[in-house]
Amino acid sequence: MSGIIAFVEHAGDAVDETGLELVTAGHQIAADLGTTLTAVLVGPGADAAAAPLGAYGAADARAVSHPDLGSYAPAAYAESIVQLVTALEPVAVLASGTEKGNEVLAHVAARTDLPMAANCTEIVAAGDGQWTLTRQRWGGSLLEDSQLDAPTKLVSLVPHAFQAAEVNGSGGIPVEAFEPHLDATVTAVRVVDHEASGAGVSLASAPVVVSGGRGVGSAEGFEVLEQLAGLLDGAVGCSRVATNNGWRSHSDQVGQTGTKIAPQLYIACGISGATQHWVGCKDAKNILAINTDPEAPLVTRGNYAVIGSLDEVLPAIVAEVRRRKGA
Ligand SMILES: Cc1cc2nc3c(=O)[nH]c(=O)nc-3n(C[C@H](O)[C@H](O)[C@H](O)COP(=O)(O)OP(=O)(O)OC[C@H]3O[C@@H](n4cnc5c(N)ncnc54)[C@H](O)[C@@H]3O)c2cc1C
């Protein structure tokens, strides 16, 4: 057993910041163990995306390709990695703690019967084989210290918990092609189509998010939230109640099972602030809660609150913002 492999996600021929963080952290762990890091990229564009990763500490890379890997298929990705684990016998497989990274690694764990530690923020890799980890639980509201002992450790890293840094000026590394043996069972679940998200600012990066929950009452009730978001160059978000009721699409959901956001201003309309919602909006710089209940958790935890019904408060805010903007 030697070496560490990192499943690095890429879009086309580019690896984003999260992937570079993974390679930098993986290189550091490998160096601590006196070994090297192999980057593994799957699907079209893998070889071009892999080449520059040497700058971030990868010693070499495998570009995995197969006719069935033209689009994302979690089991096929995982089976490819399992076959590389058999060939390379690494001490660990690392992935980004993204939806895709965690999904692929969970499939690898199920196929190999190895334990997986998801969403780690700190990793101390000891030479005796046991790793000490700190990982996020409950959507980041709890940090857990744990020990991981397995012949091959499966570990995902929380995005932005580690910093990407160039460690090598030259960058270029050997990229070896790898074609796995895949049967039809592993592509039963795969991406067949992509739907572009609607126009306007994206929820994840919007400086202002106007979000609605059960208190909005209906899909039509979101119209005034759309108006306010438009006036503030913001995006509209929602709670899970709004998505469950079919008022908004899941891509608008803020929270543990939605998007985690950190806008300058989060305006929560008729949202109580359950823990699963709070973990998605707690990093907002300012929170304004509009709620009829003065004891609602988002009212007590937020920076500002208006106690009142949305029917009255929101049209008044929209009218005032319009007046100040001269619109
Ligand atoms: C595993 C799991 C994952 C989950 N993931 C998420 C997640 O990602 N995101 C998420 O949001 N939830 C998530 N939930 C659900 C979460 O627990 C809550 O049920 C949900 O957030 C509640 O949504 P809400 O605040 O809109 O509704 P409620 O809790 O019912 O709150 C409605 C609020 O509206 C106020 N209100 C009512 N009428 C008015 C009015 N006219 N004017 C002003 N205020 C009014 C009420 O006072 C109340 O505070 C998850 C739950 C589980 C179990």
Side-chain angles (χ1 to χ4, degrees), residues 262-288:
Q264 290 297 321
L265 175 62
Y266 185 59
I267 305 179
C269 308
I271 299 178
S272 61
T275 304
Q276 297 88 354
H277 188 85
W278 174 249
V279 297
C281 67
K282 66 180 169 49
D283 292 332
K285 309 294 171 292
N286 293 286
I287 295 178
L288 162 64

Side-chain angles (χ1 to χ4, degrees), residues 90-317:
V91 292
V93 180
L94 308 180
S96 300
T98 54
E99 288 190 8
K100 187 185 277 185
N102 278 332
E103 183 173 40
V104 169
L105 214 54
H107 276 271
V108 172
R111 285 167 183 270
T112 54
D113 208 18
L114 288 165
M116 169 187 169
N119 303 322
C120 294
T121 56
E122 277 180 51
I123 300 168
V124 179
D128 62 3
Q130 193 171 80
W131 288 17
T132 303
L133 310 167
T134 302
R135 59 182 184 145
Q136 288 185 350
R137 305 292 303 272
W138 298 350
S141 56
L142 176 79
L143 290 176
E144 176 193 83
D145 290 330
S146 52
Q147 308 283 327
L148 182 62
D149 195 355
T152 298
K153 294 156 184 77
L154 308 180
V155 177
S156 74
L157 281 56
V158 168
H160 313 314
F162 300 83
Q163 270 196 332
E166 294 195 25
V167 296
N168 174 354
S170 67
I173 47 168
V175 181
E176 207 176 293
F178 177 74
E179 182 161 348
H181 302 285
L182 302 176
D183 64 35
T185 60
V186 294
T187 51
V189 175
R190 67 194 164 89
V191 172
V192 293
D193 200 9
H194 288 272
E195 196 176 315
S197 60
V201 205
S202 91
L203 180 62
S205 59
V208 177
V209 173
V210 184
S211 211
R214 193 192 303 277
V216 174
S218 66
E220 296 70 39
F222 274 85
E223 208 171 293
V224 64
L225 280 76
E226 295 273 7
Q227 288 170 15
L228 183 57
L231 286 165
L232 300 175
D233 297 325
V236 172
C238 68
S239 74
R240 191 155 105 168
V241 166
T243 52
N244 280 355
N245 285 346
W247 301 342
R248 303 296 294 186
S249 82
H250 180 260
S251 58
D252 289 348
Q253 186 178 310
V254 172
Q256 180 182 330
T257 46
T259 303
K260 293 192 176 68
I261 57 171
Q264 290 297 321
L265 175 62
Y266 185 59
I267 305 179
C269 308
I271 299 178
S272 61
T275 304
Q276 297 88 354
H277 188 85
W278 174 249
V279 297
C281 67
K282 66 180 169 49
D283 292 332
K285 309 294 171 292
N286 293 286
I287 295 178
L288 162 64
I290 306 172
N291 204 305
T292 45
D293 178 5
E295 301 298 326
L298 257 181
V299 172
T300 55
R301 287 170 151 181
N303 309 80
Y304 308 96
V306 179
I307 306 304
S309 177
L310 297 176
D311 307 339
E312 294 168 26
V313 178
L314 277 176
I317 294 177

